[in-house]
Amino acid sequence: MANLPVISLKEVALHDSMSDCWIVICNYIYDVTNFMLQHPGGEFVLLDQAGRDATFAFFDAGHTLSSTTSLQKYKIGILPPSECLFNNPSTLLCT
């Protein structure tokens, strides 16, 4: 996934429903639509963060490095540098 498309927060914001759910974690965009019903915390936890940056909610919920690793199959893009909240996301366990 070295050549991820750059996706703006404005585009991410359009994907905020049960049938189309994107979230941002550590500057990366994830399409978690197909994971919502499998999420251990319930689909509404994801829906609450749909269409926006969920980094702080993700780590506040106690997710670990293994959680970020399992997200990789849902990664669809990266924010443009001007919209990134984290200059060094590796300090947040994001890989």
Side-chain angles (χ1 to χ4, degrees), residues 37-57:
L37 295 176
Q38 300 166 7
H39 186 261
E43 66 270 16
F44 295 108
V45 173
L46 293 175
L47 191 58
D48 188 47
Q49 298 299 317
R52 57 187 162 146
D53 194 298
T55 304
F56 290 116

Side-chain angles (χ1 to χ4, degrees), residues 5-92:
V6 175
I7 302 171
S8 70
L9 285 171
K10 185 175 180 178
E11 173 67 22
V12 172
L14 299 173
H15 303 271
D16 63 350
S17 68
M18 284 288 292
S19 61
D20 185 18
C21 183
W22 293 7
I23 59 172
V24 177
I25 298 175
C26 296
N27 303 330
Y28 291 103
I29 295 97
Y30 300 89
D31 181 347
V32 294
T33 307
N34 293 327
F35 179 65
M36 291 187 70
L37 295 176
Q38 300 166 7
H39 186 261
E43 66 270 16
F44 295 108
V45 173
L46 293 175
L47 191 58
D48 188 47
Q49 298 299 317
R52 57 187 162 146
D53 194 298
T55 304
F56 290 116
F58 182 82
F59 287 105
D60 282 347
H63 289 98
T64 63
L65 184 57
S66 64
S67 299
T68 59
T69 302
S70 65
L71 272 175
Q72 298 311 304
K73 63 183 165 187
Y74 301 106
K75 189 184 288 184
I76 60 167
I78 189 165
L79 291 174
S82 63
E83 295 183 3
C84 289
L85 294 178
F86 306 98
N87 292 327
N88 189 2
S90 63
T91 61
L92 294 169

